[in-house]
Amino acid sequence: MKKITKSLIFLLSLLVGMNCGNVFAQGVKVLNGTVSDPNGQSIPGATILVKGTTNGTVTDMDGKYTLSVGANAQVIVVSFVGMLTSEVEIGNRSQIDVTLKEETADLDEFVVIGYGTQKKATLTGSVTSVENDQVISNPSVNLTNSLSGLLPGLVAMNRTGEPGADSSTILIRGSNTTGDNSPFVVVDGVQNPPGWQRINPNDIESISVLKDASAAIYGARAANGVILITTKRGKAGKPTLSYTFNQGISQPTRLPELASSALFAGYVNEMMVRDGQDPRYTEAEIELFRNGTDPNYPNTNWYKEVLKDYSLQSMHNLSLRGGSESVRYSMSGSYSHQNSIFKKGVHDFKGYTIRSNIDADVNEYITVNLDLNLGLDDRSQPGTENPWGWLNAIPMMPVYYENGYPSAGIEQGLNPAVMTTSASGDHNTKSKRAITKVGFNIKAPWLEGLGMDGYFVYSNEDILDKRWRTPWTVYNYDQENDTYLPLRGGRITAPELTQSTQSVSSTFLNLRLKYEKQFGDHYINSFVGAEQTKGGNGYYEAFRRNYLSPTLSELFAGDPATQQNDGVSAESSRQSILGRISYNFQEKYIIDFNARYDGSYVFPEGKRFGFFPGVSAAWVMSEEFFKEVSGVNDLKLRASVGKMGNDRISPFQFMPAYSLGLNGYHFGSPTASQLGVVPGVTPNPNVTWEVATTYNLGLDGMFWNGGLSFTVEVFKQRRTNILTKRNLEVPFYTGLQLPDENIGVVENKGLEIALNHRGKPSAPGGLSYTVGGNIAFNKNTVIDISEAQDVPDYQKAEGRILGAGLYYQALGIFRTQEEVDSNPIYPGTLVGHLQYEDVNEDGIISSQDMIRMDKSNIPQITFGINGSISYGLFSLFANFAGQGGAWQYYHQNARIAINGLAELIENRYTEGSMDSKYPILPDLGTRTQPSGLQSTFWLQNASFIRFKTLQLSYNLPNTILEKLNLSSARVYLNGNNLFTISEIKWFDPEGDNERGAFYPQSRIFNLGIDLSF
């Protein structure tokens, strides 16, 4: 890290030195003036720059400036956020006052789309975007956790808060297939780059999401939507050196509350009596547990004893950007760190990134560019299994005895206080990334608007994984003899090491011929291009055990007799021809046509290519009917239809599959296994990609220069050719292993609404605010999928949503023996167990009574409410995000050796109870007991609203900046996941583990500073 930091500082210093010289060119004239708005109010902080140079200044608090310029200076460029940039000729004047006009709403902004940008006023597709200022307001280390509530149609589900593994699952308009639903991600033209989730938000310019036919330009990988991330590039102007530092503290959003010793002791007694045994604890002992007066009767809160109150995280970003009119550069380096919530825990994540780019104009017709992106992720976790499931240790057991010895925990020595430390070993994963991109852009001098561009990308990622597992020692206390008995924990008898390396590399080539021209009222923008990518990856794994010492974690030190190894390699390739034609008449009637002819290595020869077209059109009704109405800026009707593919399936399914191993054949006497091959799945010579046909209708409106704006979208996608097996349709006795076939069909329909209001200041520095909200609803339906013919309609997947589960319909709790005797029951049912509906009316409760329900943990509704206020040097931003139409099934159990949730045990059924909230609790982890079946009783509504982001910031005034020799400085406080409102109280409602055994999501409080020199 020190070497990287030193190199970064050296390069930044070098670039500063190379570009600062222009600032001190000899001045022969001094310009003075005032910059103001149309109302005559002065504008502090406006930038004045001599065109074509890096010589410039900013206005003071009164809007005044002084600037020394060279003899050859002809024009100054004056700019300010929210105002139109103005170019003013100097001439012979020394006093130049400038009035900046207000920017026209947001319609002149450009939005990033596939292979280019498009003016917001002429967008025809369903494209939503978010700018840098909202993304950086969230202190999350992982970019995917900053997007919730900001982009309608984007679903971000954060299932865990574990350092280094906390990426949210991203969906665009929900799920559309039983296969891979992940969107296609493009960063600065680089497709699906490794580690994109770790881009520092300060390096991001904008994020766009393509949700309809606008994504068809990406062909066979666009069916799940496309996310376009654009990072910052250098701009002409004086060098700007910026440094951002964030220091945060992280806490779990929600932790379960387990039963106390007294409560649990009563529960244990009840279980033993029900099983015909004597109670384990006397009333006197239970009272000792309750009052805590005797150290031999502890009441241990394992979560409190094993977890810290908070953990730390930090982020640094250092950047240098600037350049002249002909050469522009950007360079940044970032470092992030998260540590464990466990006391002495080894969970840890460190991330390092370097991003740099340079754009150089060779002449007025040729521009070249070079991008270099490096990254290193260093993640550590315990060498043993997931510790969260073992925090349910009984409260009568201390975490540590008074002499400091660790207790044995639940069973097999699985004490999470030890499991999460270096005593269990260490599982370290290092991911090293390098992406190089070189490109060019040529304008044809002989024909205005004609040009060619292209770029070449080389990407490489090396993943080094080392899992070192060691047994540890815990103790059981023999109270009778007052001795501590050692016990080996870890489920292994001696240290063992598994080490693997994986190397993934690819090359990518893009070439385009393009033409753009305005012919009076007619505008055309088009291109045709070609792409080719090749990739390869190799994997190697080695293993040894029976190490003599737990201190030497190298392969050579293990027992050679236990060594194992494995390895595999693969190659991939794609070829594409793509193009787009965009036309508009007076920016009133607009049409875009995208198409891609894609070829993928995944499919058999002769069937590798497919055509994926998309067309979208818009009618700007405000130009037709409301042109003379001053309050109407935009009213636009949009429609699109397109076909896209999804080729993210296992490759080479058209070829016969064989398994290679020692189970090939047997030979000799006595028989010995020999290396051989065994036939596998039957090949499918017709395998092809999934096809998504999308329809979208949208209406955009903007009034009073952005005072009010809205977008309404309705959409439908029909996904066909989904891979599924016919196994359920073929008798088992045939022994056939059928291949996946493209026979599945899913439809997805939905609605999206976004509404925003903006209040502008009456004078620079005055009160301004924004208020916005968005909501998205989608529901998918399985139209066709392979199912057995004898499955009853109420259990079929067809006609249900993706992920719909089978559940027993719980009717209540049996309160009397008469109720048990007079109703159909599940075998073993007692008074106090759950009662279920006999759906097939056969007189017994069995798996035939389970109903497939339209409930899954993928939300059908997502929404966001956000707003900002700025006044003077202060600003405030807030974002609420939430979900609806999501359900989470929980299977909770408690037994003599395993504690349970306090609410469950406290409100369980007890003998004679007629109003208990819960039945007799399951005591097994399996779904086999009458009250532990997968039923609607344990299905909980996972809807929630979360205070996702809050940021308060203060910009230091110019008087202080001048003294500190700074161009800008900002101090801020922000937070993430500050509170959550939900029906689920046991765990965080975004978690998807039915046992609740997951690293909880993080609540973050952060202090940051942003400096520019």
Side-chain angles (χ1 to χ4, degrees):
M1 176 58 189
K2 291 182 179 179
K3 291 183 178 179
I4 294 175
T5 304
K6 289 180 180 178
S7 300
L8 177 61
I9 294 173
F10 172 74
L11 289 172
L12 292 173
S13 302
L14 181 61
L15 288 171
V16 170
M18 291 172 63
N19 289 275
C20 285
N22 292 333
V23 179
F24 300 104
Q26 183 178 3
V28 296
K29 180 187 290 188
V30 178
L31 302 181
N32 297 282
T34 302
V35 179
S36 57
D37 66 13
N39 297 321
Q41 295 287 336
S42 60
I43 301 178
T47 300
I48 298 92
L49 188 69
V50 178
K51 187 175 182 179
T53 74
T54 59
N55 183 21
T57 187
V58 294
T59 56
D60 61 18
M61 292 299 294
D62 298 319
K64 299 182 182 298
Y65 73 91
T66 300
L67 177 64
S68 298
V69 301
N72 59 348
Q74 298 180 359
V75 176
I76 58 172
V77 180
V78 185
S79 61
F80 185 73
V81 176
M83 313 295 283
L84 292 174
T85 298
S86 178
E87 294 190 5
V88 183
E89 291 188 3
I90 297 174
N92 297 322
R93 296 180 293 171
S94 59
Q95 178 73 26
I96 302 178
D97 296 328
V98 181
T99 299
L100 295 181
K101 295 181 179 179
E102 191 175 88
E103 209 167 37
T104 305
D106 298 319
L107 299 178
D108 292 329
E109 293 180 0
F110 281 81
V111 177
V112 177
I113 59 174
Y115 298 93
T117 59
Q118 193 167 357
K119 200 157 70 166
K120 191 172 183 179
T122 62
L123 273 178
T124 58
S126 181
V127 181
T128 185
S129 61
V130 63
E131 302 300 320
N132 166 266
D133 57 344
Q134 291 185 325
V135 177
I136 63 174
S137 298
N138 190 298
S140 297
V141 172
N142 193 300
L143 175 62
T144 62
N145 297 326
S146 302
L147 304 179
S148 294
L150 300 179
L151 295 158
L154 184 143
V155 183
M157 299 171 290
N158 184 213
R159 302 304 196 189
T160 175
E162 182 178 346
D166 53 354
S167 293
S168 291
T169 300
I170 302 293
L171 302 175
I172 306 299
R173 290 179 166 174
S175 298
N176 292 278
T177 175
T178 56
D180 191 331
N181 282 283
S182 304
F184 189 55
V185 179
V186 182
V187 180
D188 295 333
V190 181
Q191 300 183 358
N192 271 346
W196 66 268
Q197 302 91 337
R198 297 295 171 183
I199 299 175
N200 190 287
N202 291 283
D203 292 332
I204 291 175
E205 188 74 34
S206 67
I207 299 175
S208 297
V209 179
L210 313 183
K211 300 180 288 186
D212 67 343
S214 57
I217 195 69
Y218 291 102
R221 293 193 281 178
N224 298 327
V226 179
I227 298 176
L228 304 176
I229 301 176
T230 303
T231 63
K232 293 179 179 178
R233 304 191 73 84
K235 298 179 180 178
K238 66 178 183 178
T240 300
L241 180 65
S242 299
Y243 172 68
T244 302
F245 170 65
N246 289 276
Q247 180 61 60
I249 60 173
S250 174
Q251 299 175 323
T253 54
R254 190 172 293 174
L255 292 174
E257 183 181 348
L258 301 183
S260 65
S261 291
L263 179 61
F264 186 71
Y267 173 71
V268 169
N269 282 350
E270 180 184 300
M271 287 184 62
M272 300 187 75
V273 169
R274 188 165 57 239
D275 291 341
Q277 303 178 55
D278 294 331
R280 172 169 293 189
Y281 303 101
T282 66
E283 288 300 320
E285 288 176 318
I286 293 177
E287 182 59 31
L288 288 174
F289 283 130
R290 184 177 289 111
N291 62 40
T293 57
D294 190 334
N296 292 316
Y297 294 86
N299 180 26
T300 304
N301 184 328
W302 278 78
Y303 277 89
K304 184 176 181 180
E305 295 296 324
V306 174
L307 303 184
K308 297 185 289 188
D309 293 331
Y310 62 86
S311 60
L312 298 178
Q313 69 168 49
S314 61
M315 291 188 290
H316 304 257
N317 180 260
L318 181 65
S319 67
L320 178 68
R321 296 183 177 94
S324 64
E325 290 291 333
S326 58
V327 179
R328 301 158 299 280
Y329 58 86
S330 172
M331 184 175 182
S332 69
S334 301
Y335 167 71
S336 59
H337 182 215
Q338 299 167 279
N339 63 24
S340 179
I341 194 64
F342 288 93
K343 297 176 180 178
K344 302 179 182 179
V346 297
H347 288 94
D348 191 80
F349 175 79
K350 297 181 179 70
Y352 310 83
T353 62
I354 293 178
R355 305 187 67 85
S356 65
N357 59 69
I358 184 168
D359 300 288
D361 298 332
V362 179
N363 54 43
E364 60 179 311
Y365 302 110
I366 302 175
T367 300
V368 295
N369 53 72
L370 174 66
D371 295 15
L372 177 63
N373 302 313
L374 305 174
L376 169 63
D377 294 345
D378 188 352
R379 176 190 173 197
S380 290
Q381 54 186 315
T384 186
E385 60 195 272
N386 179 8
W388 290 96
W390 304 105
L391 282 166
N392 286 15
I394 61 174
M396 296 84 166
M397 176 78 74
V399 179
Y400 293 98
Y401 297 108
E402 291 184 353
N403 62 1
Y405 284 176
S407 73
I410 291 181
E411 55 190 24
Q412 298 179 334
L414 296 173
N415 182 335
V418 182
M419 297 167 64
T420 56
T421 70
S422 57
S424 70
D426 177 66
H427 186 182
N428 180 259
T429 305
K430 289 184 174 67
S431 300
K432 302 176 182 179
R433 305 179 297 275
I435 302 174
T436 303
K437 175 187 173 187
V438 58
F440 69 90
N441 183 41
I442 300 175
K443 299 177 182 177
W446 60 85
L447 181 60
E448 183 183 355
L450 180 65
M452 175 181 284
D453 64 19
Y455 57 93
F456 173 81
V457 178
Y458 176 75
S459 173
N460 183 79
E461 181 180 30
D462 293 322
I463 303 172
L464 312 176
D465 188 89
K466 186 175 183 179
R467 186 181 185 187
W468 172 243
R469 296 184 62 194
T470 57
W472 58 83
T473 301
V474 292
Y475 296 86
N476 280 319
Y477 177 56
D478 182 352
Q479 188 171 1
E480 184 176 336
N481 298 308
D482 192 27
T483 58
Y484 295 89
L485 306 176
L487 174 69
R488 184 174 58 229
R491 304 190 203 241
I492 55 175
T493 59
E496 60 183 42
L497 174 64
T498 304
Q499 195 164 342
S500 66
T501 62
Q502 183 176 12
S503 181
V504 183
S505 62
S506 66
T507 59
F508 178 84
L509 179 64
N510 168 282
L511 290 172
R512 294 193 310 157
L513 183 66
K514 56 187 181 179
Y515 181 71
E516 180 182 12
K517 182 69 174 177
Q518 182 82 45
F519 300 94
D521 291 334
H522 305 272
Y523 170 82
I524 187 169
N525 188 339
S526 63
F527 76 83
V528 61
E531 290 182 347
Q532 177 163 314
T533 180
K534 290 185 177 181
N537 72 80
Y539 176 82
Y540 174 79
E541 180 181 282
F543 169 84
R544 286 193 183 188
R545 67 160 60 96
N546 294 339
Y547 283 72
L548 296 177
S549 170
T551 61
L552 189 57
S553 57
E554 299 295 339
L555 280 171
F556 77 89
D559 183 359
T562 66
Q563 66 184 11
Q564 301 173 24
N565 57 68
D566 195 8
V568 67
S569 64
E571 294 181 343
S572 63
S573 62
R574 288 181 172 86
Q575 289 181 334
S576 308
I577 298 174
L578 60 151
R580 175 168 56 234
I581 299 176
S582 299
Y583 168 81
N584 75 63
F585 175 72
Q586 295 181 343
E587 295 191 355
K588 184 191 302 185
Y589 310 106
I590 312 162
I591 187 168
D592 293 322
F593 176 73
N594 300 294
R596 189 180 184 106
Y597 187 60
D598 243 348
S600 173
Y601 76 104
V602 174
F603 308 112
E605 190 173 352
K607 299 180 180 180
R608 290 176 176 165
F609 284 85
F611 182 63
F612 302 96
V615 62
S616 55
W619 175 31
V620 184
M621 295 184 292
S622 55
E623 291 295 309
E624 193 83 49
F625 304 113
F626 307 103
K627 195 169 184 179
E628 303 302 322
V629 181
S630 60
V632 180
N633 302 111
D634 183 45
L635 189 62
K636 180 172 60 178
L637 182 66
R638 295 180 285 104
S640 69
V641 59
K643 186 172 78 169
M644 293 156 284
N646 181 16
D647 70 350
R648 271 176 268 184
I649 63 173
S650 298
F652 311 121
Q653 295 188 35
F654 56 90
M655 300 177 66
Y658 296 91
S659 299
L660 178 66
L662 292 177
N663 58 349
Y665 62 96
H666 303 280
F667 186 77
S669 179
T671 59
S673 297
Q674 304 293 324
L675 186 65
V677 295
V678 176
V681 177
T682 304
N684 177 6
N686 300 311
V687 65
T688 186
W689 42 74
E690 297 176 1
V691 175
T693 304
T694 65
Y695 306 88
N696 195 91
L697 184 66
L699 180 66
D700 302 323
M702 182 179 291
F703 307 93
W704 304 293
N705 284 332
L708 178 67
S709 61
F710 71 86
T711 295
V712 179
E713 311 254 11
V714 291
F715 63 88
K716 174 184 175 181
Q717 181 185 119
R718 185 176 177 88
R719 185 74 64 93
T720 58
N721 289 354
I722 296 174
L723 285 173
T724 187
K725 283 184 171 63
R726 296 185 189 270
N727 285 354
L728 294 177
E729 299 180 6
V730 177
F732 177 78
Y733 59 77
T734 64
L736 292 176
Q737 295 187 55
L738 297 182
D740 289 337
E741 297 181 64
N742 299 102
I743 55 178
V745 179
V746 173
E747 274 193 0
N748 188 21
K749 301 176 182 179
L751 169 71
E752 296 167 358
I753 301 174
L755 182 65
N756 294 280
H757 169 58
R758 181 172 66 188
K760 299 181 180 179
S762 57
L767 178 67
S768 65
Y769 63 91
T770 63
V771 179
N774 64 79
I775 186 169
F777 166 79
N778 78 278
K779 183 178 181 181
N780 55 57
T781 304
V782 176
I783 304 299
D784 190 9
I785 198 169
S786 176
E787 294 188 277
Q789 298 302 313
D790 60 348
V791 172
D793 289 342
Y794 58 83
Q795 290 189 342
K796 285 189 174 182
E798 291 179 5
R800 301 295 183 185
I801 66 171
L802 287 167
L806 287 169
Y807 299 92
Y808 290 93
Q809 182 68 51
L811 301 178
I813 300 173
F814 284 118
R815 302 293 181 178
T816 65
Q817 187 62 45
E818 182 182 358
E819 290 179 349
V820 174
D821 295 338
S822 59
N823 287 283
I825 62 170
Y826 186 83
T829 296
L830 303 174
V831 176
H833 280 141
L834 289 176
Q835 178 183 358
Y836 302 108
E837 181 180 357
D838 183 15
V839 178
N840 65 353
E841 298 181 346
D842 65 352
I844 59 172
I845 301 300
S846 68
S847 61
Q848 296 300 310
D849 295 304
M850 299 183 79
I851 301 173
R852 193 172 298 278
M853 307 187 72
D854 277 340
K855 295 181 178 181
S856 80
N857 56 17
I858 306 297
Q860 294 182 336
I861 300 171
T862 55
F863 59 89
I865 303 170
N866 52 71
S868 64
I869 299 175
S870 296
Y871 181 75
L873 301 174
F874 289 92
S875 63
L876 181 72
F877 173 78
N879 177 40
F880 292 83
Q883 68 178 33
W887 299 82
Q888 179 60 46
Y889 168 77
Y890 291 107
H891 181 84
Q892 295 293 308
N893 68 290
R895 59 178 183 265
I896 293 175
I898 296 180
N899 199 359
L901 296 170
E903 201 229 350
L904 286 176
I905 295 179
E906 189 170 7
N907 296 285
R908 71 191 185 278
Y909 174 85
T910 57
E911 186 175 357
S913 172
M914 301 301 291
D915 60 354
S916 64
K917 184 177 180 180
Y918 298 107
I920 295 174
L921 301 181
D923 55 32
L924 297 178
T926 57
R927 305 173 189 175
T928 55
Q929 296 176 301
S931 290
L933 302 178
Q934 183 166 302
S935 74
T936 55
F937 188 88
W938 304 110
L939 194 62
Q940 296 199 24
N941 187 345
S943 301
F944 67 82
I945 182 170
R946 199 192 291 278
F947 197 174
K948 192 68 179 178
T949 306
L950 177 66
Q951 176 172 276
L952 174 65
S953 62
Y954 174 71
N955 293 284
L956 272 63
N958 285 343
T959 52
I960 297 178
L961 297 178
E962 292 172 358
K963 293 179 181 179
L964 299 176
N965 200 25
L966 297 171
S967 60
S968 68
R970 183 172 66 101
V971 181
Y972 52 89
L973 287 167
N974 56 22
N976 176 60
N977 293 342
L978 296 179
F979 67 79
T980 303
I981 301 174
S982 67
E983 287 189 21
I984 293 177
K985 305 299 182 183
W986 299 341
F987 312 101
D988 190 287
E990 271 190 287
D992 62 351
N993 186 292
E994 66 184 46
R995 301 279 302 156
F998 61 92
Y999 201 114
Q1001 292 80 356
S1002 297
R1003 177 191 297 115
I1004 303 170
F1005 301 93
N1006 183 79
L1007 173 64
I1009 186 168
D1010 186 358
L1011 306 175
S1012 292
F1013 300 86

